[in-house]
Amino acid sequence: MATLVPPSPATAVTPPAAGSGAAAVEPQKADYLNLPCPIPYEEIHREALMSLKPEHFEGMRFDFTKGLNQKFSLSHSVMMGPTEIPSQSSETIKIPTAHYEFGANYIDPKLMLFGRVLTDGRVNARLKCDLTDNLTLKGNAQLTNEPHMSHGMFNFDYKGSDYRTQFQLGNGALFGASYIQSVTPNLSLGGEVFWAGQHRKSGIGYAARYNTDKMVATGQVASTGMVALSYVQKVSEKVSLASDFMYNYMSRDVTASFGYDYILRQCRLRGKIDSNGVVAALLEERFNMGLNFLLSAEIDHQKKDYKFGFGLTVGE
Amino acid sequence: MAAVRRPSLSRSGSGDDGILSRISDYSIVRKGKSAACDAAYVAKRLLKSTGKAAWIAATTFIVLGIPLIIEMDREAQLNEAELQQASLLGGAAPGQPAFMAPPK
């Protein structure tokens, strides 16, 4: 006669169920000690900016880039078209200009140098150098013929495991600092302060960015009166839609814009419509390896200002 | 403005006023004329604003819609051509897995 009672199957079953239940819950729990590094503070609106504010131009543009080496390349660029002059009246004044720009680029994993010289006397220079693994130095400068219009700026960026800080020095006693921290795997918050000695102005600002695989939502407030919100949704791997809202509470200026960004295999098409009555589109089409054709259009219904441009880019 | 004459149905004057001027003296005719003027004014404004709206819609569609349609068409053509190429070359391929499976 069996006096031993075999263990009831119920008690044997429940612990594995609890174990698998716990295993299913764990991947969803955030690992707060290993948060990802956030996007740099000045690029917080990056997706919205790339989709809604591409480089529209007016006139003709031709760029030729020739690589001499793996790291060194030269670029020649011709631009002909009207340039707008800011005027007090509502009329836009355009003056036809044409210039040629010669540039040299040196690209290394640790050091990047860009220099440009234009026929109207301007010289641009940009530098990006990784001093150590976490510390980066960036600088840019522009020299012009007009007096008091030249400026330069240096940035020191430090990247931590889940935060970034930046310190900025510019000419005219411009100092700035910013800090951004990942709070959860999807949310990052940051702030910045700046002081402009020449104009005796200082300001403080805050920004927040929430992103998942499919969408990015950002918001930024600054004491200069600017409030900017943006939302980008990736509808499929080729299409994303973006919208942007900017409000200046000092000058009571409001602008909202909505746009699409189609990244297809042979072209990239970005179009947007604005609350100021501006409709703009930019098409970059790849004809061949290294040959890109650009078409840009910007129609301002309110000011009746129409700008169309075409361009060609040769080289990588 | 114009002298308001209030003609009564029984006229005391002689019959040398023309019948049209007599009819147009009635207030109902005057009201009808002003209503027609207003309607013409409103219709003209509506036509102009519809014309403006149509122009804005058409130019906006040209800039935003036409490149999109053209590019989507080209993408669809490219996909179709690739599918055709794949089906042309892929006629030989399915032989391979079936060949490899039995030795396993």
Side-chain angles (χ1 to χ4, degrees):
Chain A
M1 251 177 300
T3 51
L4 283 174
V5 176
S8 66
T11 50
V13 160
T14 39
S20 65
V25 162
E26 230 160 6
Q28 293 165 10
K29 211 169 140 71
D31 186 3
Y32 283 98
L33 296 173
N34 274 344
L35 291 173
C37 199
I39 305 277
Y41 189 90
E42 64 264 12
E43 288 179 28
I44 208 164
H45 294 286
R46 179 176 65 184
E47 276 85 3
L49 242 58
M50 278 195 332
S51 292
L52 291 174
K53 297 190 168 64
E55 283 178 9
H56 295 112
F57 58 95
E58 185 171 12
M60 188 207 73
R61 209 175 111 163
F62 179 74
D63 290 326
F64 175 60
T65 307
K66 170 88 179 163
L68 299 180
N69 212 348
Q70 233 182 12
K71 301 185 180 180
F72 190 67
S73 59
L74 295 176
S75 81
H76 306 265
S77 182
V78 175
M79 269 180 259
M80 304 168 82
T83 322
E84 255 178 56
I85 300 197
S87 76
Q88 270 67 27
S89 67
S90 63
E91 288 273 316
T92 44
I93 301 181
K94 295 196 190 180
I95 296 199
T97 53
H99 59 79
Y100 162 74
E101 175 187 298
F102 173 73
N105 314 326
Y106 176 78
I107 299 181
D108 198 39
K110 294 220 160 165
L111 176 66
M112 291 208 284
L113 301 168
F114 300 95
R116 300 271 180 275
V117 179
L118 283 91
T119 47
D120 51 5
R122 279 183 288 166
V123 177
N124 282 342
R126 269 177 35 218
L127 150 81
K128 176 177 177 286
C129 177
D130 289 341
L131 299 172
T132 74
D133 256 348
N134 291 338
L135 184 63
T136 306
L137 164 67
K138 290 199 268 207
N140 66 4
Q142 192 184 61
L143 305 175
T144 41
N145 269 337
E146 299 148 43
H148 303 301
M149 289 290 278
S150 314
H151 58 80
M153 185 141 67
F154 281 100
N155 299 343
F156 291 93
D157 296 344
Y158 183 77
K159 181 173 76 168
S161 63
D162 60 357
Y163 65 92
R164 283 189 203 246
T165 64
Q166 185 190 74
F167 181 65
Q168 222 174 37
L169 284 166
N171 81 328
L174 174 69
F175 299 100
S178 75
Y179 177 79
I180 184 164
Q181 164 93 42
S182 269
V183 170
T184 76
N186 292 338
L187 178 66
S188 45
L189 304 171
E192 68 165 350
V193 297
F194 74 87
W195 188 67
Q198 214 167 41
H199 308 278
R200 292 263 188 268
K201 272 203 256 193
S202 66
I204 191 168
Y206 303 99
R209 178 186 161 109
Y210 182 80
N211 70 345
T212 65
D213 278 339
K214 298 255 167 139
M215 59 86 130
V216 176
T218 68
Q220 188 173 18
V221 185
S223 72
T224 50
M226 179 196 69
V227 173
L229 307 169
S230 80
Y231 179 75
V232 178
Q233 169 91 26
K234 202 161 128 163
V235 170
S236 79
E237 57 179 45
K238 297 188 178 178
V239 183
S240 59
L241 300 173
S243 66
D244 175 275
F245 176 79
M246 192 142 69
Y247 172 56
N248 193 329
Y249 56 78
M250 303 280 186
S251 65
R252 303 271 175 205
D253 226 350
V254 182
T255 304
S257 65
F258 176 73
Y260 63 79
D261 187 353
Y262 270 72
I263 305 183
L264 304 173
R265 267 176 297 179
Q266 283 190 335
C267 75
R268 183 165 184 185
L269 176 59
R270 289 174 265 191
K272 85 153 195 260
I273 182 161
D274 219 346
S275 69
N276 296 333
V278 174
V279 173
L282 180 74
L283 169 67
E284 294 162 14
E285 182 152 346
R286 202 181 63 178
F287 280 162
N288 222 343
M289 187 64 205
L291 189 64
N292 280 352
F293 181 59
L294 295 165
L295 279 178
S296 150
E298 194 175 323
I299 297 185
D300 191 339
H301 288 293
Q302 217 170 23
K303 297 195 207 145
K304 304 240 192 273
D305 183 21
Y306 313 119
K307 302 193 201 157
F308 299 100
F310 75 96
L312 207 53
T313 303
V314 183
E316 329 74 58
Chain B
M1 313 226 191
V4 174
R5 284 173 38 189
R6 291 211 162 272
S8 54
L9 278 175
S10 56
R11 302 211 42 154
S12 52
S14 61
D16 53 348
D17 286 336
I19 190 158
L20 266 178
S21 60
R22 253 197 294 165
I23 289 178
S24 59
D25 281 339
Y26 289 117
S27 61
I28 193 169
V29 175
R30 237 181 305 127
K31 280 193 191 146
K33 263 207 252 185
S34 79
C37 276
D38 284 344
Y41 177 70
V42 168
K44 199 166 93 167
R45 288 284 293 262
L46 203 63
L47 200 63
K48 259 186 134 164
S49 65
T50 307
K52 256 174 93 166
W55 170 258
I56 290 180
T59 53
T60 301
F61 172 69
I62 289 177
V63 169
L64 288 185
I66 291 188
L68 191 60
I69 293 175
I70 293 177
E71 289 304 326
M72 284 176 67
D73 233 358
R74 286 185 63 174
E75 179 80 6
Q77 264 181 9
L78 193 68
N79 276 345
E80 223 181 87
E82 264 187 17
L83 211 60
Q84 252 191 8
Q85 276 290 74
S87 70
L88 276 176
L89 297 171
Q96 292 290 342
F99 186 73
M100 297 305 274
K104 207 176 104 180

